[in-house]
């Protein structure tokens, strides 16, 4: 782990940092400290536990630049269809008021840029926080150093916006570029809100999307976060979502990790006060030569906290997926419940899924369970369907959809669920035809 | 319709069928009886095309085609139906979807157009009444959480919807109480017709009180040792299977 070994892959990032003139003045000191942290930690060494099954060597060899600010950006027509009444768009990490429905947001839902939030007197330390710990600390620090903007979403106390807010995070550009989208969501006491994070990008170039999402869920608030990651097939996508949940608050996340060439999601949830709860459910599909890695960590830091982690993964072709779920029940977090389930399906012999459920328990009066399975489609079920006239492809497709459907059926936002189904269906059809 | 000649089949190195001969004509109901391990279910599985069985000798001709060369789905589309001894539970694939996909696959093969949702539902509802099944079964996963009797009724419901030319019922009576046996038998009897052949594979003659066969065959140790009419089944009920084996050895 010598500094020399890390110097070369960091060079393009240093060059980008030094050449950048990023957004708001007054952020320089923060960015400098953040970049220093990134440089200090550097890329993961081969033996780093958090990156055991995911190598970033390919990313390290790339020299991504920051996006050309003068390039013409796509219009609404080029972007994904709205999945909710309220839409906010970030292009290459910059909030685009012209593409948003900012003028008709529902009462109690506020959306601001970094500049606006600073002008409103928000402390930079909260806006551009660099989290510590975890395998993606380095990338969160890099994000803080290089993010051109910040999308601040506030749900006011007691507010219950009628429809979800659809946040489109679109990566675009003709050159090999990196973008650093950053979002801060604060759900104030007693509020109930639904937010869709929709990661997409064009496939015109290889790119690196390094996202950071900071979530604060206040007392008695419920925040539903729906995430669809369908980045282009040439993209590196690294994302960290840090959520802190207050007393009797709940953070409910539905995740569909579908895109990118290499994608890593770190989902860190801290249940910091009694009664806080989280449910993290998701599905991932590693087909082709895609590599998808999901690390979900729940820290139970107070009594009577509950967590449910329920992920289903599918891999096919030369696809590879990693799922690491971990619940830590800290001392004093008595009467807590932690449940974990990781079920995985390998459609072809060349595919691989590494799953590791972990529980660390430092309290004696708790209920915890975990289970992980990796298997193939049931031959008896396949024969049963074929004996009724379904082709082998149709039978495999029906069983694969049924497998993923157990998680998808819990995505209680119809337009989002439809979008995920559509994204999955097209891909499943192609890969099942090819593997038949 | 179906002509089985000198059929030999094995699982791995274990020889199970050792020269089965059987001819089935349209409109006929054949019962294949035999002790446990005689090869009855293997015969049913080989006819439907289940993987894991190796046919080492013999032929099976169905409507002039080489049945053994056909994929399981092609057999189904050509009108072969197997009612499973152990119907498979498939959570997440709903019954209505399976019935519709299966029916449309068969109709396509017959050169018929797909049924629209309305016609499909009204047809299925009628057949469900016949099988005394609640409509809520349609929205449930295939056989998911069904009792043993419900699974068997569901098999016959599928048969009623698909209207096969050749139905092979593998131990459809096993695990049924007397009421369920009556419902299942009624369903099967309603499907008897001059164009349809039915092969009943069963251990007990009880089923034959409800579904009267035209022919009864005794399968033992992979061969059909004796064939006769309904009275053979009654004799088996009284005397068991041993005398057939002894008689065959003497012959």
């Amino acid at each position: 782990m010598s500094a020399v070994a890390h110097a070369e892959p960091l060079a393009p990032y240093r060059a980008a940092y030094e050449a950048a003139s990023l957004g708001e003045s007054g952020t320089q000191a923060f960015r400098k400290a953040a970049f220093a942290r990134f440089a200090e930690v550097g890329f993961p060494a081969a033996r780093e536990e958090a990156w055991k099954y995911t190598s970033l060597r390919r990313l390290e060899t790339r020299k991504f630049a920051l996006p050309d600010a003068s390039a013409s950006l796509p219009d609404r027509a080029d972007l994904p269809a709205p999945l909710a009444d309220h839409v906010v768009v970030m292009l290459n990490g910059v909030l685009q008021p012209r593409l948003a429905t900012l003028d008709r947001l529902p009462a109690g839902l506020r959306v601001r840029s970094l500049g606006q939030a600073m002008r409103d007197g928000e402390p930079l330390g909260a806006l551009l926080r660099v989290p510590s710990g975890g395998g993606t600390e380095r990338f969160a620090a890099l994000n803080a150093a290089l993010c051109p903007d910040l999308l601040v979403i506030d749900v006011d106390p007691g507010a219950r916006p009628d429809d979800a807010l659809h946040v489109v995070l679109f990566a675009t550009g003709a050159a090999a570029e990196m973008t650093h989208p950053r979002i801060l969501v604060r759900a104030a006491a007693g509020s109930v809100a639904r937010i869709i994070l929709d990661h997409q990008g064009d496939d015109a170039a290889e790119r690196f999307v390094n996202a950071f999402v900071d979530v604060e869920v206040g007392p008695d608030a419920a925040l539903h976060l729906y995430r669809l990651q369908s980045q282009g097939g040439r993209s590196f996508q690294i994302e960290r979502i840090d959520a802190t949940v207050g007393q009797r608050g709940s953070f409910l996340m539905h995740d569909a990790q579908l895109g990118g060439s290499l994608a890593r999601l770190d989902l860190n949830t801290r249940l910091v006060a009694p009664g806080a709860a989280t449910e993290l459910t998701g599905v991932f599909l590693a087909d082709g030569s895609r590599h998808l890695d999901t690390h979900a960590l729940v820290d139970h830091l107070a009594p009577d906290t509950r967590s449910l982690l329920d992920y289903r993964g599918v891999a096919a072709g030369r696809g590879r997926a990693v799922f690491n779920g971990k619940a830590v029940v800290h001392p004093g977090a008595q009467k807590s419940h932690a449940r974990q389930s990781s079920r995985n399906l390998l459609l072809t012999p060349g595919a691989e899924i590494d799953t590791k459920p972990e529980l660390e328990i430092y309290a004696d009066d708790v209920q915890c369970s975990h289970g992980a399975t990796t298997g193939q489609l049931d031959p008896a079920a396949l024969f049963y369907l074929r004996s009724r006239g379904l082709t082998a492809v149709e039978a495999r497709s029906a069983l694969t959809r049924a497998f993923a459907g157990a998680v998808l059926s819990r995505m209680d936002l119809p337009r989002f669920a439809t979008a995920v189904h559509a994204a999955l269906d097209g891909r499943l059809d192609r890969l099942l035809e090819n593997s038949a | 319709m179906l002509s089985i000649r000198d059929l030999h089949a094995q699982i791995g190195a274990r020889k199970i069928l050792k020269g089965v001969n059987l001819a089935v004509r349209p409109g006929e109901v054949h019962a294949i009886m035999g002790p446990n391990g005689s090869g009855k279910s293997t015969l049913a599985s080989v006819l439907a095309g289940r993987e894991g069985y190796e046919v080492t000798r013999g032929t099976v001709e169905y409507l002039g085609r080489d049945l053994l060369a056909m994929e399981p789905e092609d057999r189904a589309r050509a009108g072969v139906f197997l009612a499973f001894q152990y119907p498979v539970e498939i959570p997440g694939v709903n019954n209505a979807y399976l019935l519709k996909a299966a029916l449309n696959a068969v109709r396509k093969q017959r050169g018929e157009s797909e049924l629209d949702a309305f016609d499909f539902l009204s047809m299925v509802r009628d057949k469900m009444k016949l099988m005394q099944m609640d409509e809520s079964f349609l929205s449930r996963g295939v056989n998911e959480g069904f009792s043993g009797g419900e699974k068997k009724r569901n098999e016959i419901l599928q048969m009623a919807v698909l209207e096969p030319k050749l139905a092979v019922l593998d131990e459809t009576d096993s695990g049924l109480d007397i009421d369920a046996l009556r419902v299942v038998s009624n369903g099967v009897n309603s499907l008897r017709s001059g164009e349809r052949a039915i092969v009943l594979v069963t251990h007990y003659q009880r089923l034959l009180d409800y579904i009267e066969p035209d022919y009864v065959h005794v399968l033992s140790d992979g061969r059909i040792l004796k064939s006769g009419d309904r009275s053979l089944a009654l004799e088996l009920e009284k005397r068991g299977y041993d005398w057939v084996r002894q008689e065959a050895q003497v012959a």
Side-chain angles (χ1 to χ4, degrees), chain A residues 378-394 398-399 401-403, chain B residues 48-50 71-73 76-77 81-82 84 88 90-93 98 102 105 143 155 158:
Chain A
D378 175 14
L382 278 174
F383 174 65
Y384 189 82
L385 295 177
R386 292 179 70 191
S387 79
R388 298 299 179 251
L390 275 69
T391 64
V393 168
E394 288 167 341
L399 293 180
R401 277 165 230 261
F403 174 81
Chain B
R50 191 193 292 269
E71 295 291 340
E73 59 266 38
R77 288 164 187 224
F81 180 88
L82 171 67
F84 281 56
V88 184
I90 313 181
V93 175
L98 175 58
N143 295 319
E155 293 294 286
Q158 293 176 9

Coordinates of all heavy atoms in Angstrom, one line a residue, chain A residues 378-394 398-399 401-403, chain B residues 48-50 71-73 76-77 81-82 84 88 90-93 98 102 105 143 155 158:
Chain A
D378 N -35.2 -24.9 -11.4 CA -35.6 -26.2 -11.0 C -36.0 -27.1 -12.3 O -36.9 -26.7 -13.0 CB -36.8 -26.1 -10.1 CG -37.4 -27.4 -9.7 OD1 -36.8 -28.4 -9.9 OD2 -38.6 -27.4 -9.2
P379 N -35.2 -28.1 -12.5 CA -35.5 -29.0 -13.7 C -36.9 -29.5 -13.7 O -37.6 -29.7 -14.8 CB -34.5 -30.1 -13.7 CG -33.5 -29.7 -12.7 CD -34.1 -28.7 -11.7
A380 N -37.5 -29.9 -12.5 CA -38.8 -30.4 -12.5 C -39.8 -29.4 -12.9 O -40.8 -29.7 -13.6 CB -39.1 -30.9 -11.1
A381 N -39.6 -28.2 -12.5 CA -40.6 -27.1 -12.9 C -40.5 -26.8 -14.4 O -41.5 -26.6 -15.1 CB -40.3 -25.8 -12.1
L382 N -39.2 -26.8 -14.9 CA -39.0 -26.6 -16.3 C -39.8 -27.7 -17.1 O -40.4 -27.4 -18.1 CB -37.5 -26.6 -16.7 CG -36.7 -25.4 -16.4 CD1 -35.2 -25.6 -16.7 CD2 -37.2 -24.2 -17.3
F383 N -39.6 -28.9 -16.7 CA -40.3 -30.0 -17.5 C -41.8 -29.9 -17.4 O -42.5 -30.1 -18.3 CB -39.8 -31.4 -16.9 CG -40.5 -32.5 -17.6 CD1 -40.4 -32.8 -18.9 CD2 -41.4 -33.3 -16.8 CE1 -41.1 -33.8 -19.6 CE2 -42.1 -34.3 -17.4 CZ -42.0 -34.6 -18.8
Y384 N -42.2 -29.5 -16.2 CA -43.7 -29.4 -16.0 C -44.2 -28.3 -17.0 O -45.2 -28.6 -17.7 CB -44.0 -29.0 -14.6 CG -45.5 -29.0 -14.2 CD1 -46.1 -30.1 -13.9 CD2 -46.2 -27.8 -14.3 CE1 -47.4 -30.2 -13.5 CE2 -47.6 -27.8 -13.9 CZ -48.2 -29.0 -13.6 OH -49.5 -29.0 -13.2
L385 N -43.6 -27.2 -17.1 CA -44.1 -26.2 -18.0 C -44.0 -26.6 -19.5 O -44.9 -26.4 -20.3 CB -43.3 -24.9 -17.8 CG -43.5 -24.2 -16.4 CD1 -42.6 -23.0 -16.3 CD2 -45.0 -23.9 -16.2
R386 N -42.9 -27.3 -19.8 CA -42.7 -27.7 -21.2 C -43.7 -28.8 -21.5 O -44.2 -28.9 -22.7 CB -41.3 -28.2 -21.4 CG -40.2 -27.1 -21.3 CD -38.8 -27.7 -21.5 NE -38.6 -28.1 -22.9 CZ -37.5 -28.8 -23.3 NH1 -36.6 -29.2 -22.4 NH2 -37.4 -29.2 -24.6
S387 N -44.0 -29.6 -20.6 CA -45.0 -30.7 -20.8 C -46.4 -30.1 -21.1 O -47.3 -30.8 -21.5 CB -45.1 -31.7 -19.7 OG -45.8 -31.1 -18.6
R388 N -46.6 -28.8 -20.8 CA -47.8 -28.1 -21.1 C -47.8 -27.3 -22.4 O -48.7 -26.6 -22.7 CB -48.2 -27.2 -19.9 CG -48.4 -28.0 -18.6 CD -49.6 -29.0 -18.7 NE -49.8 -29.8 -17.5 CZ -49.5 -31.1 -17.4 NH1 -48.9 -31.7 -18.4 NH2 -49.8 -31.7 -16.3
G389 N -46.6 -27.4 -23.1 CA -46.5 -26.8 -24.4 C -45.7 -25.5 -24.4 O -45.5 -24.9 -25.5
L390 N -45.2 -25.1 -23.3 CA -44.3 -23.9 -23.3 C -42.9 -24.3 -23.9 O -42.5 -25.4 -23.5 CB -44.1 -23.3 -21.9 CG -45.2 -22.3 -21.5 CD1 -46.5 -23.0 -21.2 CD2 -44.8 -21.6 -20.2
T391 N -42.3 -23.5 -24.7 CA -41.0 -23.8 -25.2 C -40.0 -23.7 -24.0 O -40.3 -23.1 -23.0 CB -40.5 -22.8 -26.3 OG1 -40.4 -21.5 -25.7 CG2 -41.5 -22.8 -27.5
A392 N -38.8 -24.3 -24.3 CA -37.8 -24.2 -23.2 C -37.5 -22.8 -22.8 O -37.3 -22.4 -21.7 CB -36.5 -24.9 -23.7
V393 N -37.4 -21.9 -23.9 CA -37.2 -20.5 -23.6 C -38.3 -19.8 -22.8 O -38.1 -19.1 -21.8 CB -36.9 -19.7 -24.9 CG1 -36.9 -18.2 -24.6 CG2 -35.6 -20.1 -25.5
E394 N -39.6 -20.1 -23.2 CA -40.7 -19.6 -22.4 C -40.7 -20.1 -21.0 O -41.0 -19.4 -20.0 CB -42.0 -20.0 -23.1 CG -42.2 -19.2 -24.4 CD -43.4 -19.8 -25.3 OE1 -43.7 -21.0 -25.0 OE2 -43.9 -19.1 -26.1
A398 N -40.4 -17.8 -17.8 CA -41.5 -17.7 -16.8 C -40.9 -18.0 -15.4 O -41.2 -17.3 -14.4 CB -42.6 -18.7 -17.1
L399 N -40.0 -18.9 -15.3 CA -39.4 -19.2 -14.0 C -38.5 -18.1 -13.5 O -38.4 -17.8 -12.3 CB -38.7 -20.6 -14.0 CG -39.6 -21.8 -14.2 CD1 -38.7 -23.1 -14.3 CD2 -40.6 -21.9 -13.2
R401 N -38.6 -14.9 -14.3 CA -39.5 -13.8 -13.9 C -40.1 -14.1 -12.6 O -40.3 -13.1 -11.7 CB -40.6 -13.6 -15.0 CG -40.1 -12.7 -16.1 CD -41.0 -12.8 -17.3 NE -40.3 -13.1 -18.5 CZ -40.0 -12.2 -19.4 NH1 -40.3 -11.0 -19.2 NH2 -39.2 -12.6 -20.4
A402 N -40.5 -15.3 -12.4 CA -41.2 -15.6 -11.1 C -40.2 -15.5 -9.9 O -40.5 -15.0 -8.9 CB -41.7 -17.1 -11.1
F403 N -38.9 -15.8 -10.2 CA -37.9 -15.7 -9.2 C -37.7 -14.2 -8.8 O -37.7 -13.8 -7.7 CB -36.6 -16.3 -9.7 CG -35.4 -16.1 -8.8 CD1 -35.2 -16.9 -7.7 CD2 -34.5 -15.1 -9.1 CE1 -34.1 -16.7 -6.9 CE2 -33.4 -14.9 -8.2 CZ -33.2 -15.7 -7.2
Chain B
A48 N -43.9 -38.7 -22.1 CA -44.0 -37.2 -22.0 C -42.7 -36.6 -22.4 O -42.6 -35.4 -22.6 CB -44.5 -36.8 -20.7
G49 N -41.6 -37.3 -22.3 CA -40.3 -36.8 -22.7 C -39.5 -36.2 -21.5 O -38.7 -35.3 -21.7
R50 N -39.7 -36.7 -20.3 CA -38.9 -36.2 -19.2 C -37.5 -36.6 -19.3 O -37.1 -37.7 -19.8 CB -39.5 -36.9 -17.9 CG -38.9 -36.3 -16.6 CD -39.2 -37.1 -15.4 NE -40.6 -37.2 -15.1 CZ -41.2 -36.3 -14.2 NH1 -40.6 -35.4 -13.7 NH2 -42.5 -36.5 -14.0
E71 N -39.4 -32.9 -28.8 CA -39.2 -32.2 -27.5 C -40.5 -32.3 -26.7 O -41.6 -32.4 -27.3 CB -38.9 -30.7 -27.7 CG -37.6 -30.5 -28.5 CD -36.4 -30.8 -27.6 OE1 -36.5 -30.9 -26.4 OE2 -35.3 -31.0 -28.2
P72 N -40.4 -32.2 -25.4 CA -41.6 -32.3 -24.6 C -42.7 -31.3 -25.0 O -43.9 -31.7 -25.1 CB -41.1 -32.0 -23.2 CG -39.7 -32.3 -23.2 CD -39.2 -32.1 -24.6
E73 N -42.3 -30.1 -25.3 CA -43.3 -29.1 -25.7 C -44.0 -29.4 -27.0 O -45.1 -29.1 -27.3 CB -42.7 -27.7 -25.7 CG -41.6 -27.4 -26.6 CD -40.2 -27.6 -25.9 OE1 -40.1 -28.5 -25.1 OE2 -39.3 -26.9 -26.2
A76 N -46.6 -32.0 -26.4 CA -47.8 -31.4 -25.8 C -48.6 -30.7 -26.9 O -49.8 -30.8 -26.9 CB -47.4 -30.3 -24.7
R77 N -47.9 -29.9 -27.8 CA -48.6 -29.2 -28.8 C -49.2 -30.2 -29.8 O -50.2 -29.8 -30.4 CB -47.6 -28.3 -29.6 CG -47.2 -27.1 -28.7 CD -45.9 -26.4 -29.2 NE -45.5 -25.4 -28.2 CZ -45.1 -24.2 -28.5 NH1 -45.1 -23.8 -29.7 NH2 -44.8 -23.4 -27.5
F81 N -50.8 -35.4 -23.4 CA -50.9 -34.7 -22.1 C -50.5 -35.7 -21.0 O -51.1 -36.8 -21.0 CB -52.3 -34.2 -21.9 CG -52.5 -33.5 -20.6 CD1 -52.2 -32.2 -20.4 CD2 -52.9 -34.2 -19.4 CE1 -52.4 -31.5 -19.2 CE2 -53.0 -33.6 -18.2 CZ -52.8 -32.2 -18.1
L82 N -49.6 -35.3 -20.1 CA -49.3 -36.1 -19.0 C -49.9 -35.5 -17.7 O -49.5 -34.3 -17.4 CB -47.8 -36.3 -18.8 CG -47.3 -37.0 -17.5 CD1 -47.7 -38.4 -17.5 CD2 -45.8 -36.8 -17.4
F84 N -49.5 -35.4 -14.0 CA -48.3 -35.8 -13.2 C -48.8 -36.6 -11.9 O -49.8 -36.2 -11.3 CB -47.5 -34.6 -12.7 CG -46.6 -34.1 -13.8 CD1 -47.1 -33.7 -15.1 CD2 -45.3 -33.9 -13.5 CE1 -46.2 -33.2 -16.0 CE2 -44.4 -33.4 -14.5 CZ -44.9 -33.0 -15.8
V88 N -45.9 -30.3 -9.9 CA -44.9 -29.4 -9.4 C -45.4 -28.1 -8.9 O -46.3 -27.5 -9.6 CB -43.8 -29.2 -10.5 CG1 -42.6 -28.4 -9.9 CG2 -43.3 -30.5 -11.0
I90 N -45.1 -24.2 -8.5 CA -44.3 -23.2 -9.1 C -44.7 -21.8 -8.6 O -45.5 -21.2 -9.3 CB -44.3 -23.3 -10.7 CG1 -44.2 -24.7 -11.2 CG2 -43.3 -22.4 -11.3 CD1 -44.2 -24.9 -12.7
P91 N -44.2 -21.4 -7.5 CA -44.6 -20.1 -7.0 C -44.2 -19.0 -8.0 O -43.1 -19.1 -8.6 CB -43.8 -20.0 -5.7 CG -43.3 -21.3 -5.4 CD -43.2 -22.1 -6.7
G92 N -45.0 -18.0 -8.1 CA -44.7 -16.9 -9.0 C -45.1 -17.0 -10.4 O -45.1 -16.0 -11.1
V93 N -45.5 -18.2 -10.8 CA -46.0 -18.4 -12.2 C -47.5 -18.7 -11.9 O -47.8 -19.7 -11.3 CB -45.4 -19.6 -12.9 CG1 -46.1 -19.8 -14.3 CG2 -43.9 -19.3 -13.1
L98 N -50.3 -19.9 -16.9 CA -49.9 -21.2 -17.5 C -51.0 -21.8 -18.4 O -50.8 -22.3 -19.5 CB -49.6 -22.2 -16.4 CG -49.3 -23.7 -16.9 CD1 -48.1 -23.7 -17.8 CD2 -49.0 -24.6 -15.7
A102 N -50.4 -22.4 -22.3 CA -50.5 -23.7 -22.8 C -51.5 -23.9 -23.8 O -51.3 -24.5 -24.9 CB -50.7 -24.7 -21.6
A105 N -50.5 -22.2 -27.1 CA -49.5 -23.0 -27.8 C -50.2 -24.2 -28.5 O -49.8 -24.4 -29.7 CB -48.5 -23.6 -26.8
N143 N -50.1 -24.7 -8.6 CA -50.0 -25.7 -7.5 C -49.5 -25.3 -6.2 O -49.3 -26.0 -5.3 CB -49.2 -27.0 -8.0 CG -49.8 -27.7 -9.1 OD1 -51.1 -27.8 -9.2 ND2 -49.0 -28.1 -10.1
E155 N -54.6 -30.8 -12.4 CA -54.1 -31.6 -13.5 C -55.2 -31.9 -14.5 O -55.1 -31.7 -15.7 CB -53.4 -32.9 -13.1 CG -52.2 -32.7 -12.3 CD -51.0 -32.1 -13.1 OE1 -50.4 -32.8 -13.9 OE2 -50.7 -30.9 -12.8
Q158 N -56.4 -28.8 -16.3 CA -55.5 -28.5 -17.5 C -55.8 -29.4 -18.7 O -55.9 -28.9 -19.8 CB -54.0 -28.7 -17.1 CG -53.6 -27.7 -16.0 CD -52.1 -27.9 -15.6 OE1 -51.4 -28.8 -16.1 NE2 -51.7 -27.2 -14.6

